[in-house]
Amino acid sequence: MSNTELHPSIVALVSLAANVAANHPGQGLCQLDKLKQYGVSAEQIDLVVDIARHIRDEAGTKLDERFDAELAARTSAVRTPLTIPVVAAACCTPTPSGKSCC
């Protein structure tokens, strides 16, 4: 393996995270058997899934907030967003379980 290649377990973890974060219908489940074969622990997989879900949910919240603001501006209606507040100043907020995603 050259210095630029990633270990297959890292590729599988990235693929799993990307599928979860993107809400892909396959959810990256095909990666689970590979990760098990590579000796990746359930705790490590749980952490990756937790981070991916957090990023997905945070992205959805920010999109909803932008949409709500634009909708209110275009309709002149005051709307209460049904989203979880996200601290705008932080570039990376912890997952709900307190794990860092950066």
Side-chain angles (χ1 to χ4, degrees):
M1 184 180 337
S2 74
N3 289 338
T4 58
E5 292 181 37
L6 295 173
H7 188 274
S9 64
I10 295 172
V11 174
L13 281 169
V14 169
S15 179
L16 172 64
N19 277 279
V20 170
N23 267 340
H24 189 281
Q27 300 174 315
L29 293 173
C30 60
Q31 300 302 323
L32 294 179
D33 289 335
K34 289 181 183 180
L35 290 166
K36 192 174 176 182
Q37 289 172 356
Y38 297 135
V40 176
S41 71
E43 292 80 14
Q44 291 170 319
I45 293 169
D46 289 345
L47 175 59
V48 167
V49 170
D50 189 36
I51 291 169
R53 285 178 175 161
H54 172 69
I55 291 170
R56 176 196 64 204
D57 296 346
E58 189 175 59
T61 297
K62 288 181 179 186
L63 286 170
D64 288 346
E65 288 171 352
R66 260 191 266 156
F67 177 83
D68 291 346
E70 185 63 28
L71 180 62
R74 290 182 184 209
T75 62
S76 300
V78 176
R79 300 189 186 276
T80 304
L82 300 174
T83 57
I84 300 169
V86 175
V87 179
C91 69
C92 179
T93 58
T95 66
S97 63
K99 303 292 183 194
S100 174
C101 63
C102 23

